[in-house]
């Protein structure tokens, strides 16, 4: 039997989730408490330290099951959206409020403390962040806590974008950031996950998980719009037969480039395409 993937298994030698009792060994088990991310975006790190690697980000409105909060203000838990496990700043979390009704449909929006764009913003909200709208006031959606978000930047949570490639293209030029999921910085698999989620398609966090879970294998020679091209540790999105978009450390940004040029450059670095995956309906 394969060992549980630690990225999506809330288990450490000293602590594990109660539902894993009998499946993993741990000094103690905990039921966990559901919390909600109440800031625009919160880093999820692989250790309880500001200097630790950020493995992903949790966006506003996301639910997280927390199993431990330490004395330094770090909370260890599992994200509800994709199951990722890590350490978040406890200050970014509160008990869940009302279920989100809307999500940010713009690349980034601002939350103001009142009904005026002249007020200093209280929070920046990335694409995909979720909020519960309590009422409307002129052109603003007002949250239960009094935050005012431009209604033009929001869509009902059930809204699905029709083309995830077009969503990915909105991030063109955004800086490359390991573990990132917003226009302030994102990595290759973060770009794929955010784009697919915006279209209502569930997607794992990391590229190897995506390769194993998404779509069906097709030939590179028959590449078409929306196909996912995988290398070991990397993923790109085909825009068609001849071009692709990906967040990558070569450009240190989200970039569009010819497929042939990218294949040659990555191949010269010693990495070959491992598969091409086509999503259902693509």
């Amino acid at each position: 039997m394969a060992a549980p993937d630690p990225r999506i298994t809330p288990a450490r030698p000293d602590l594990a989730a109660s539902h894993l009792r009998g499946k993993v060994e741990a000094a103690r088990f905990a039921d966990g408490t559901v919390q909600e991310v109440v800031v625009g975006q919160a880093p999820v790190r692989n250790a309880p330290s500001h200097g630790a690697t950020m493995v992903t980000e949790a966006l506003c409105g996301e639910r997280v099951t927390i199993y431990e909060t330490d004395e330094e203000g770090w909370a260890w838990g599992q994200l509800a959206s994709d199951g990722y496990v890590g350490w978040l700043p406890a200050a970014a979390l509160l008990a869940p409020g009302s279920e989100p009704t809307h999500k940010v449909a713009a690349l980034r929006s601002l939350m103001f403390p009142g009904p005026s764009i002249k007020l200093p913003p209280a929070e920046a909200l990335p694409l995909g962040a979720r909020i519960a709208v309590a009422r409307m006031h002129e052109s603003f959606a007002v949250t239960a806590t009094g935050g005012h978000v431009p209604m033009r930047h929001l869509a009902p949570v059930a809204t699905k974008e029709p083309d995830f490639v077009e969503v990915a293209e909105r991030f063109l030029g955004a800086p490359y950031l390991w573990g990132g999921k917003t226009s302030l910085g994102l990595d290759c698999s973060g770009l794929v996950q955010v784009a697919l989620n915006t279209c209502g398609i569930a997607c794992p966090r990391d590229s190897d998980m995506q390769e194993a879970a998404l779509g069906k294998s097709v030939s590179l020679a028959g590449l078409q719009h929306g196909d996912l091209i995988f290398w070991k540790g990397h993923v790109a999105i085909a825009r068609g037969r001849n071009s692709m978009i990906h967040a990558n450390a070569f450009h240190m940004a989200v970039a569009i480039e010819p497929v042939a040029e990218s294949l040659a450059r990555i191949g010269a670095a010693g990495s070959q395409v491992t598969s091409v995956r086509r999503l259902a309906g693509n």
Side-chain angles (χ1 to χ4, degrees):
M1 180 185 297
D5 188 334
R7 295 172 295 180
I8 53 174
T9 307
R12 309 181 331 227
D14 63 320
L15 174 64
S18 293
H19 67 84
L20 294 174
R21 193 184 301 271
K23 300 178 182 178
V24 301
E25 293 186 6
R28 62 188 178 92
F29 293 84
D31 291 336
T33 302
V34 176
Q35 300 269 281
E36 180 178 343
V37 178
V38 294
V39 297
Q41 62 204 72
V44 180
R45 302 190 184 278
N46 64 358
S49 166
H50 291 290
T53 297
M54 184 172 75
V55 291
T56 189
E57 289 182 295
L59 307 185
C60 183
E62 185 159 3
R63 303 295 165 89
V64 190
T65 301
I66 298 300
Y67 296 98
E68 178 186 50
T69 301
D70 69 14
E71 295 180 353
E72 301 299 319
W74 289 95
W76 182 72
Q78 183 174 34
L79 306 185
S81 60
D82 59 16
Y84 225 91
V85 174
W87 294 88
L88 298 84
L93 305 169
L94 285 176
S98 302
E99 284 292 325
T101 59
H102 290 72
K103 61 183 179 181
V104 175
L107 202 59
R108 185 164 290 275
S109 187
L110 297 173
M111 180 184 290
F112 299 92
S116 172
I117 59 174
K118 295 182 180 180
L119 294 171
E123 191 64 70
L125 301 173
L127 177 70
R130 299 187 171 208
I131 62 172
V133 175
R135 60 186 176 88
M136 300 296 300
H137 181 82
E138 298 177 349
S139 62
F140 290 97
V142 185
T143 69
T145 56
H148 287 62
V149 182
M151 194 63 199
R152 286 181 179 273
H153 290 172
L154 300 177
V157 289
T159 302
K160 299 178 182 179
E161 294 280 354
D163 183 357
F164 81 92
V165 181
E166 187 277 331
V167 175
E169 290 171 347
R170 297 181 204 169
F171 287 91
L172 186 63
Y176 181 85
L177 175 65
W178 185 272
K181 289 177 56 173
T182 80
S183 60
L184 294 180
L186 68 178
D187 59 19
C188 65
S189 55
L191 177 65
V192 171
Q193 187 186 51
V194 169
L196 287 175
N197 285 173
T198 303
C199 297
I201 303 170
C203 178
R205 179 58 179 88
D206 292 343
S207 61
D208 63 319
M209 299 173 175
Q210 293 170 355
E211 186 174 17
L214 297 175
K216 63 179 181 180
S217 180
V218 296
S219 168
L220 181 63
L223 197 65
Q224 67 183 39
H225 183 90
D227 287 347
L228 301 176
I229 310 168
F230 289 94
W231 296 259
K232 184 178 180 180
H234 189 58
V235 59
I237 304 168
R239 301 171 67 243
R241 185 180 182 86
N242 298 314
S243 71
M244 54 182 254
I245 183 169
H246 58 152
N248 66 93
F250 177 78
H251 295 95
M252 283 307 295
V254 176
I256 291 174
E257 62 178 323
V259 171
E261 180 180 305
S262 181
L263 293 177
R265 186 186 70 253
I266 298 174
S271 185
Q272 302 299 319
V273 171
T274 54
S275 73
V276 177
R277 309 293 297 181
R278 181 166 298 162
L279 304 183
N282 196 30

